[in-house]
Amino acid sequence: MAQKLQHNVTIKGTKDGLVLLLDDLCSFEHLVEELNDKLSDDHGQLLNGPLISVIVKTGNRYLTDQQSGLIREIIGQKKNLEIKRFETNVITVAEAEEMKKEAQIMRVSKVVRSGQVLSVQGDLLLIGDVNPGGTIMATGNIFVLGSLKGIAHSGSSGNREAVIAASVMKPTQLRIADMINRAPDHYPEHGHEMECAFISDEEDQILIDRISIVHKIRPELNRL
């Protein structure tokens, strides 16, 4: 009898452990059958010994919770194998919607007064002022076409690449991700051009500079 060809599961060794490459075109039943076979005692002699970390790559195959649980169970039969994570090219509808929200620009025209909090997911374009005592927050960038005299927090979900820009930059507090920059005791009375605040990688602190440099420090903003 001819030997059955097995090419749906590829096992590769790395310095950090093992990588299991699962074909994304075959049926899941064939995948499970071959995975069981390759991890059996007859084919898995090299898998005995110290604990080995495993990364499972599924390519363009979407695994249900039940299917990923079955793969965990099969791999778990080898006591020295431990799944570190699954990697896939597929994203769920919920993840796609979340990415869409993060990429959107929320346009709001209003004055944020003392005691008010305006919080959005994605970038915020505020056409209006932020009065002292008012707060604006965004998971992305913040652009204020007006006076910023309250609190602004960009990158609120941890994005240290986010910026804060305002026509009049006189905030009581600036926050980008987990970094805070408090206001000086006094601002100059004379007018000045639109400015932006960003985290400097070199100095690891929030700096304020002319808006004209933003395309140099954050070239990805050109997508706007």
Side-chain angles (χ1 to χ4, degrees):
M1 180 181 294
Q3 185 176 5
K4 180 172 60 175
L5 294 177
Q6 296 181 323
H7 52 75
N8 298 321
V9 177
T10 303
I11 301 177
K12 293 185 176 182
T14 71
K15 61 183 179 66
D16 298 319
L18 291 178
V19 175
L20 265 60
L21 303 174
L22 306 185
D23 185 81
D24 52 16
L25 297 179
C26 69
S27 70
F28 183 73
E29 289 72 19
H30 287 160
L31 194 68
V32 168
E33 180 183 356
E34 186 172 327
L35 183 61
N36 259 316
D37 191 41
K38 286 194 171 178
L39 295 183
S40 67
D41 289 338
D42 293 336
H43 295 79
Q45 296 176 358
L46 297 178
L47 302 181
N48 297 317
L51 187 65
I52 301 174
S53 178
V54 179
I55 296 176
V56 181
K57 295 190 175 184
T58 63
N60 294 326
R61 180 189 297 273
Y62 173 74
L63 293 179
T64 65
D65 291 341
Q66 183 178 3
Q67 289 173 333
S68 60
L70 180 56
I71 291 177
R72 287 184 180 277
E73 181 180 333
I74 294 172
I75 295 176
Q77 292 174 1
K78 302 295 293 185
K79 300 302 182 182
N80 65 318
L81 297 184
E82 181 181 56
I83 293 182
K84 183 177 182 180
R85 65 178 180 273
F86 283 84
E87 292 184 359
T88 178
N89 298 333
V90 181
I91 63 173
T92 65
V93 172
E95 290 171 332
E97 290 177 346
E98 192 72 11
M99 291 173 62
K100 183 178 179 181
K101 290 178 181 178
E102 288 294 334
Q104 72 183 351
I105 301 176
M106 291 294 296
R107 299 170 179 85
V108 180
S109 179
K110 65 175 295 183
V111 175
V112 180
R113 306 185 187 282
S114 179
Q116 295 180 332
V117 177
L118 173 61
S119 180
V120 305
Q121 188 169 0
D123 293 344
L124 170 62
L125 173 59
L126 176 65
I127 305 171
D129 298 332
V130 182
N131 290 347
T135 300
I136 54 175
M137 300 175 62
T139 58
N141 305 290
I142 291 177
F143 307 96
V144 180
L145 299 185
S147 298
L148 173 55
K149 297 182 178 180
I151 299 172
H153 185 184
S154 68
S156 58
S157 60
N159 180 12
R160 291 172 61 92
E161 297 297 306
V163 302
I164 301 170
S167 300
V168 178
M169 184 76 79
K170 295 184 177 181
T172 53
Q173 184 188 95
L174 292 178
R175 294 187 64 181
I176 300 177
D178 58 349
M179 190 161 290
I180 300 176
N181 183 16
R182 301 192 182 280
D185 293 334
H186 300 285
Y187 284 107
E189 292 297 329
H190 58 80
H192 51 271
E193 62 183 286
M194 191 170 187
E195 294 176 311
C196 68
F198 59 95
I199 294 179
S200 168
D201 294 332
E202 296 179 356
E203 302 182 39
D204 196 34
Q205 63 178 333
I206 297 177
L207 301 181
I208 299 176
D209 208 327
R210 295 172 299 171
I211 191 65
S212 58
I213 73 160
V214 73
H215 72 282
K216 296 180 181 179
I217 60 170
R218 299 292 185 265
E220 67 275 8
L221 289 177
N222 288 330
R223 67 180 175 83
L224 298 177

